[in-house]
């Protein structure tokens, strides 16, 4: 097993009789959830943006901007899960929000793939560590990547379920408790998470860890397998990849848009009718009538609206990316897609705080009490000293 620096600036290491691995001279960035974080891409000489400039932009997003957005998002999603657990899961809306919170947390944790950063941005190609450490890092890389993929697919699918739940709630309010039960909602949510397991398993076989000897030192390098490099197998990858993207982005976004319009029209019509009824009550009783609140519907619809804007934008950016072409511009656009999806998964907690007073009050009650309890021992100690 040996490696040498070729004339085109890439390391070539012969691993087996039929396998040759090429490692870039400079670290390359990881790609999106649609194209695995594999560093087997050669440098492009002709591009609108230079390699070093592109790498710097991707480095800034991967190591600075995305962590600064995703880490508050992770904390927010954890807080949301605590608040929703306190409210209980007898309401179907809480079940759906909890599932979306879990999916968002998966994605935000997975997108901060520290082993991928080490592999792609180190001065040495791949993992320049012992065999045991390389396998540990590769295992963690797989775990982070699984969370990113799984969270991405589920987070983009669940808003459709949320929209359907609200359509039934506003169009059939009396039959809603019979049609949409907690048990059926749990079943639908679990089905969505299970639905994407085969896709995640397939992606699992698209890469592998191989060891290349460079200047007498063994480097663990993540490379593509035949399921991706072979032309026949590549068509399967393209089909699965495109199908997943179409199902989770354009189709899901269109369904959510149509559903939000239907819910909005029904709520507007019901509001007009309610005002007329309230006016009649006031004219008879001479007392102001209470107007029912629709906090749940407003919260869920706001989640779906933000989802439509962010994921719709990500899809249109993605249309300009050609993975097979793999120019520096494509890599930067691909980074922007990840950035927009990171925003989407991070902002739902703030939507809950803004739109739902019950959620906001419970959050203050839980975490406000924690803050006050931490201050009491300090105050007691100061009183004793005085």
């Amino acid at each position: 097993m040996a490696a040498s620096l070729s004339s085109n600036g890439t390391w070539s290491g012969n691993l087996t009789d039929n396998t040759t691995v090429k490692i870039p001279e400079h670290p390359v960035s990881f790609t999106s959830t649609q194209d695995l974080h594999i560093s087997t891409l050669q440098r492009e000489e002709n591009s609108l943006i230079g390699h070093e400039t592109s790498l710097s932009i991707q480095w800034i997003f991967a190591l600075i901007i995305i962590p600064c957005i995703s880490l508050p998002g992770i904390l927010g999603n954890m807080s949301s899960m605590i608040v929703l657990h306190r409210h209980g899961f007898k309401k179907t809306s809480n079940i759906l929000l909890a599932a979306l919170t879990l999916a968002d947390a998966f994605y935000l944790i997975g997108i901060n793939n520290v082993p991928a950063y080490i592999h792609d941005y180190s001065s040495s190609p791949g993992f320049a560590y012992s065999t045991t450490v390389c396998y540990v890092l590769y295992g963690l890389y797989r775990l982070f990547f699984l969370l990113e993929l799984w969270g991405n697919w589920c987070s983009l699918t669940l808003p459709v379920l949320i929209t359907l739940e609200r359509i039934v709630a506003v169009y059939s309010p009396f039959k809603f408790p019979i049609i949409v039960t907690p048990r059926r909602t749990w079943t639908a949510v679990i089905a969505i998470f299970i639905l994407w397991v085969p896709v995640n398993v397939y992606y699992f076989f698209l890469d592998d860890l191989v060891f290349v000897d460079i200047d007498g030192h063994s480097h663990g390098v993540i490379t593509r397998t035949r399921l991706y490099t072979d032309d026949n197998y590549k068509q399967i990858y393209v089909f699965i990849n495109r199908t997943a993207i179409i199902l989770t982005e354009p189709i899901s976004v269109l369904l959510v848009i149509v559903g939000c319009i239907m819910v909005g029209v029904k709520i507007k019509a019901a509001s007009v009718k309610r005002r007329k009824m309230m006016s009649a009550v006031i004219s008879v009783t001479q007392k102001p009538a209470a107007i029912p609140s629709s906090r749940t519907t407003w919260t869920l619809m706001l989640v779906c609206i933000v989802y439509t804007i962010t994921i719709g934008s990500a899809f249109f950016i993605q249309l300009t990316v050609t993975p097979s072409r793999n120019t520096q511009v494509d890599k930067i656009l691909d980074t922007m897609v990840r950035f927009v999806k990171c925003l989407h998964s991070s902002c739902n907690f703030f939507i809950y705080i803004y739109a739902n007073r019950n959620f906001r009050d419970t959050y203050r009650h839980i975490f406000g009490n924690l803050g006050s309890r931490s201050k009491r021992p300090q105050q007691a100690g100061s009183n004793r000293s005085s």
Side-chain angles (χ1 to χ4, degrees), residues 159-193:
V160 177
L161 203 60
I162 293 174
T163 306
L164 291 175
E165 190 256 5
R166 281 299 96 186
I167 289 175
V168 177
V170 299
Y171 278 89
S172 301
F174 298 107
K175 294 182 179 179
F176 176 77
I178 302 174
I179 299 174
V180 184
T181 63
R183 183 176 181 179
R184 290 177 180 176
T185 305
W186 277 117
T187 302
V189 165
I190 294 172
I192 286 179
F193 276 87

Side-chain angles (χ1 to χ4, degrees), residues 53-310:
T53 303
S54 172
L55 187 62
S56 298
I57 294 174
Q58 295 172 69
W59 187 91
I60 291 171
F61 271 92
L63 301 181
I64 300 176
I65 297 178
I66 287 180
C68 287
I69 295 174
S70 60
L71 293 180
I74 293 171
L75 294 176
N77 281 301
M78 292 173 61
S79 302
S80 298
M81 190 63 75
I82 294 172
V83 173
L84 291 170
H85 182 268
R86 175 67 65 86
H87 285 175
F89 297 120
K90 292 182 179 180
K91 289 182 63 176
T92 56
S93 58
N94 286 350
I95 298 173
L96 294 172
L97 291 179
L100 184 60
T101 297
L102 181 63
D104 286 337
F106 279 179
Y107 181 77
L108 293 174
I109 293 172
I111 202 175
N112 292 282
N113 197 331
V114 177
Y117 299 159
I118 297 173
H119 183 279
D120 293 336
Y121 296 113
S122 298
S123 56
S124 301
F127 299 131
Y129 306 103
S130 65
T131 302
T132 303
V133 174
C134 287
Y135 276 116
V136 170
L137 289 173
Y138 181 60
L140 292 173
Y141 161 84
R142 291 270 199 172
L143 177 61
F144 276 97
F145 187 60
L146 171 64
L147 291 175
E148 181 185 352
L149 274 178
W150 207 7
N152 178 70
W153 303 132
C154 295
S155 178
L156 301 186
T157 312
L158 285 167
V160 177
L161 203 60
I162 293 174
T163 306
L164 291 175
E165 190 256 5
R166 281 299 96 186
I167 289 175
V168 177
V170 299
Y171 278 89
S172 301
F174 298 107
K175 294 182 179 179
F176 176 77
I178 302 174
I179 299 174
V180 184
T181 63
R183 183 176 181 179
R184 290 177 180 176
T185 305
W186 277 117
T187 302
V189 165
I190 294 172
I192 286 179
F193 276 87
I194 295 177
L195 172 67
W196 295 108
V197 170
V199 180
N200 295 334
V201 172
Y202 171 75
Y203 273 81
F204 185 85
F205 292 100
L206 292 180
D207 70 314
D208 196 7
L209 181 69
V210 297
F211 289 89
V212 181
D213 186 52
I214 301 176
D215 293 335
H217 299 283
S218 179
H219 290 238
V221 180
I222 303 174
T223 62
R224 297 285 191 183
T225 64
R226 286 185 58 194
L227 292 178
Y228 183 88
T229 58
D230 187 271
D231 290 337
N232 295 326
Y233 292 123
K234 184 71 173 285
Q235 297 304 316
I236 299 175
Y237 163 77
V238 171
F239 172 76
I240 294 176
N241 188 44
R242 288 180 178 175
T243 301
I245 293 174
I246 291 172
L247 288 175
T248 56
E249 294 183 20
I251 291 181
S252 295
V253 169
L254 287 175
L255 289 174
V256 169
I257 290 175
V258 172
C260 287
I261 293 174
M262 292 175 61
V263 171
V265 169
K266 182 65 176 178
I267 290 177
K268 184 65 176 178
S271 178
V272 172
K273 185 177 180 180
R274 189 182 298 119
R275 283 191 185 129
K276 291 180 179 179
M277 294 175 62
M278 295 304 171
S279 299
V281 171
I282 292 173
S283 63
V284 174
T285 62
Q286 300 299 319
K287 294 181 180 180
I291 299 177
S293 174
S294 57
R295 285 191 299 264
T296 300
T297 298
W298 167 239
T299 302
L300 294 176
M301 287 300 97
L302 192 57
V303 168
C304 291
I305 290 171
V306 172
Y307 159 83
T308 301
I309 295 173
T310 53

Side-chain angles (χ1 to χ4, degrees), residues 325-341:
R325 187 176 57 192
N326 193 44
T327 64
Q328 301 298 341
V329 175
D330 287 332
K331 293 179 182 180
I332 294 175
L333 290 173
D334 196 66
T335 301
M336 294 304 299
V337 171
R338 294 166 59 83
F339 168 70
V340 173
K341 289 184 177 181

